[in-house]
Amino acid sequence: MKDRRMSSRHNPSRRALLKALGVGPALLPLLAAERAGAACAGISGPRRVFILVWPNGMFAGNASGWATTGDDFVLPAHMKSLEEHRRDLLLLDGLDYKFIADSPNPTGGEISGHACFQGMLTGAFYRSFGPSTSSNVAGGISIDQHIGNGLRQQGYQGLTSLNLQVWAPSAARLSWRAAGDPIIPDYDPFHVFATVFSGQAVLAARRSVLDYVARDLTRFVKKVGGTEDRANVDAHLQKVRELENSLDRFRPSSGMGGSGGSAPPPSTACQPPALGATLSTAALKDTRNFELITKLQIDLAVAALAADATRVVVLQLGDQSNANIILYSLGFRPGGLDGNSGNINGLASIAHANSTAKAVCDTWFMDQVAYAIARLKDVSNGGTSLLGNTVLVGMNNMRTGGDEFRDVPAILAGSCGGYFKTGRSLKLASTPNNGMLIALANAAGVPTTTFGETIYGGELSSLRGP
């Protein structure tokens, strides 16, 4: 292999370059010279983890099922959007959230799929059960923080993790720095973009973040990089530009003067309201924007991973139940209340019915997983796609809409640099979720023997193949 590395005098470090340019790390993709050095060291590029979580089960108990097992698995109708990615998939059926039943529970807190939300990424006994499922307190660090901390100890300089959310009214949290110390996810895509990609008030000034850096990056690449470098920088800058354009779609036509659009009248409820220059709080919390903001947050997550601004992302689509989240694009509209399950046409109520409408909603969530996979595949990284060096994990807090916290399915996509053997569908025998979390850490390059409660054992080795 031709060694394209240069001396440090002629090939400044990324940190030195960025300091000289005065821009954030999110605006410089991995250059070919770096990839060549990584290849000589026996690796193909940094490993990344993208965890996507939603509630209420991955299929409807009496309307749709799960994939068959084996290498020639058959996907049910509501998962058909994943078909084109079948070689990248590792489907699991049979994870258990054992911690929810085994946690000390002197106050008699609820034991259900909804209630296990806050511990899904910790695998640890709860510190305490609250009066509602949204107020349970996790008893340990979450896997995203564990991985991010480990990478930073190894010298990585990016964000420990990027924690995102599409709005929900409760305070149920997935990520925890430690027991009782939750991380509040960012549900404002404008704020995420400005934080990750600019480090300054670029959006408020109505100037493209690219205006600050494109010229310097292009000049740098012409000096130290080759054709592939230039192509990668151009592609990366184009994707950031596309993100800005996506955000611009939500700005009012009057420009920056408004404080955020108002909701449309009932006759036009199927259309999202006009959003303000920075996405008003009301607009962010309007369920009519749930689907649009989901797409934006996925785009931002992929862009942040591609730019190496972080190597771990957690995106929660709502909270532990999504009681009042209504998917307007599917034809659902607000109705009356369904007891303590929220709106009768909200996702929680539909899930509890566990019938055809649940399957329709499940199809939409699977479509979001497929969209995220496609976006990761669309980014070149280390001689492969970004998906090739990433594992995307689709997780849920229950099996179907029946609140089961045992035999829960999960979707892995991407081999994370060859760590996972994809193109398979596995049936597990009531396996604690901890084993999968440990595998994520090891795949990302953070050696981990146990995680959460040690009684649940070590890594789920079947994820690496027979």
Side-chain angles (χ1 to χ4, degrees):
M1 183 183 87
K2 181 178 180 181
D3 190 348
R4 298 176 55 197
R5 291 174 295 179
M6 305 178 190
S7 70
S8 60
R9 190 168 70 91
H10 297 291
N11 186 22
S13 69
R14 175 182 300 190
R15 179 188 291 183
L17 166 72
L18 294 173
K19 182 177 181 181
L21 295 181
V23 301
L27 290 174
L28 186 64
L30 292 173
L31 299 179
E34 285 186 293
R35 291 196 302 275
C40 291
I43 58 175
S44 60
R47 309 290 189 262
R48 298 168 172 88
V49 178
F50 182 0
I51 301 173
L52 180 63
V53 181
W54 68 98
N56 297 315
M58 286 201 185
F59 61 91
N62 58 353
S64 63
W66 191 245
T68 61
T69 59
D71 297 348
D72 298 321
F73 58 86
V74 177
L75 293 170
H78 76 285
M79 298 175 72
K80 287 301 183 183
S81 59
L82 297 173
E83 183 65 42
E84 64 178 301
H85 309 298
R86 61 180 296 118
R87 295 182 62 182
D88 303 301
L89 299 177
L90 179 54
L91 304 177
L92 309 181
D93 185 13
L95 295 174
D96 285 358
Y97 297 122
K98 289 183 178 292
F99 71 88
I100 189 70
D102 296 341
S103 294
N105 191 358
T107 61
E110 180 178 326
I111 304 299
S112 70
H114 291 301
C116 70
F117 187 84
Q118 289 92 310
M120 290 173 63
L121 301 185
T122 71
F125 295 159
Y126 278 153
R127 170 179 282 189
S128 63
F129 284 83
S132 66
T133 58
S134 64
S135 54
N136 294 337
V137 178
I141 189 173
S142 56
I143 195 64
D144 57 301
Q145 295 297 291
H146 172 76
I147 294 172
N149 289 340
L151 293 175
R152 289 183 64 83
Q153 289 172 6
Q154 296 172 16
Y156 174 64
Q157 297 295 312
L159 298 173
T160 301
S161 68
L162 180 61
N163 297 87
L164 308 176
Q165 181 182 32
V166 184
W167 181 81
S170 81
R173 308 301 183 202
L174 279 172
S175 298
W176 303 77
R177 297 180 188 87
D181 186 9
I183 293 176
I184 300 175
D186 195 335
Y187 63 93
D188 182 347
F190 270 74
H191 184 259
V192 174
F193 185 90
T195 300
V196 175
F197 290 95
S198 71
Q200 51 189 300
V202 173
L203 297 178
R206 290 294 287 147
R207 293 183 60 187
S208 168
V209 69
L210 303 180
D211 294 339
Y212 292 95
V213 299
R215 184 177 303 173
D216 286 325
L217 283 177
T218 301
R219 183 169 59 248
F220 172 79
V221 169
K222 285 181 178 179
K223 289 181 179 180
V224 305
T227 302
E228 187 179 1
D229 291 335
R230 288 193 292 273
N232 286 335
V233 168
D234 288 345
H236 180 68
L237 295 178
Q238 178 60 32
K239 291 183 187 302
V240 177
R241 179 77 73 184
E242 290 172 359
L243 272 173
E244 288 190 306
N245 290 339
S246 294
L247 291 170
D248 273 340
R249 290 174 50 220
F250 301 117
R251 299 179 190 276
S253 58
S254 58
M256 297 293 290
S259 60
S262 59
S267 60
T268 60
C270 60
Q271 300 295 325
L275 303 183
T278 57
L279 291 181
S280 70
T281 299
L284 285 165
K285 295 182 177 181
D286 192 321
T287 186
R288 285 166 291 187
N289 295 317
F290 188 85
E291 294 140 293
L292 296 173
I293 294 174
T294 292
K295 180 180 180 297
L296 281 176
Q297 295 286 52
I298 291 174
D299 287 344
L300 287 162
V302 171
L305 291 170
D308 208 29
T310 187
R311 294 181 182 172
V312 188
V313 172
V314 176
L315 170 55
Q316 62 180 77
L317 304 183
D319 60 12
Q320 82 286 0
S321 67
N322 283 353
N324 292 305
I325 299 299
I326 298 169
L327 298 181
Y328 277 78
S329 70
L330 303 182
F332 297 104
R333 296 294 182 272
L337 295 179
D338 182 15
N340 64 355
S341 296
N343 195 283
I344 195 169
N345 289 321
L347 290 173
S349 181
I350 289 173
H352 290 161
N354 233 350
S355 59
T356 303
K358 171 69 161 61
V360 171
C361 295
D362 292 339
T363 301
W364 183 84
F365 282 102
M366 292 297 173
D367 289 350
Q368 309 319 300
V369 176
Y371 177 75
I373 294 172
R375 294 293 297 193
L376 289 166
K377 278 185 170 180
D378 193 41
V379 179
S380 175
N381 179 251
T384 181
S385 71
L386 184 59
L387 181 67
N389 286 330
T390 301
V391 58
L392 170 70
V393 188
M395 298 178 65
N396 208 288
N397 58 348
M398 60 188 75
R399 180 174 176 82
T400 73
D403 286 6
E404 317 97 316
F405 57 88
R406 300 189 188 279
D407 291 323
V408 178
I411 300 169
L412 275 64
S415 69
C416 205
Y419 194 87
F420 299 110
K421 183 181 179 182
T422 59
R424 300 181 296 151
S425 178
L426 306 181
K427 178 62 180 176
L428 307 174
S430 297
T431 302
N433 181 55
N434 304 61
M436 184 186 75
L437 300 180
I438 295 168
L440 297 181
N442 287 326
V446 178
T448 303
T449 304
T450 62
F451 186 76
E453 302 300 327
T454 59
I455 62 171
Y456 298 139
E459 180 176 349
L460 183 56
S461 59
S462 60
L463 302 184
R464 302 190 68 176

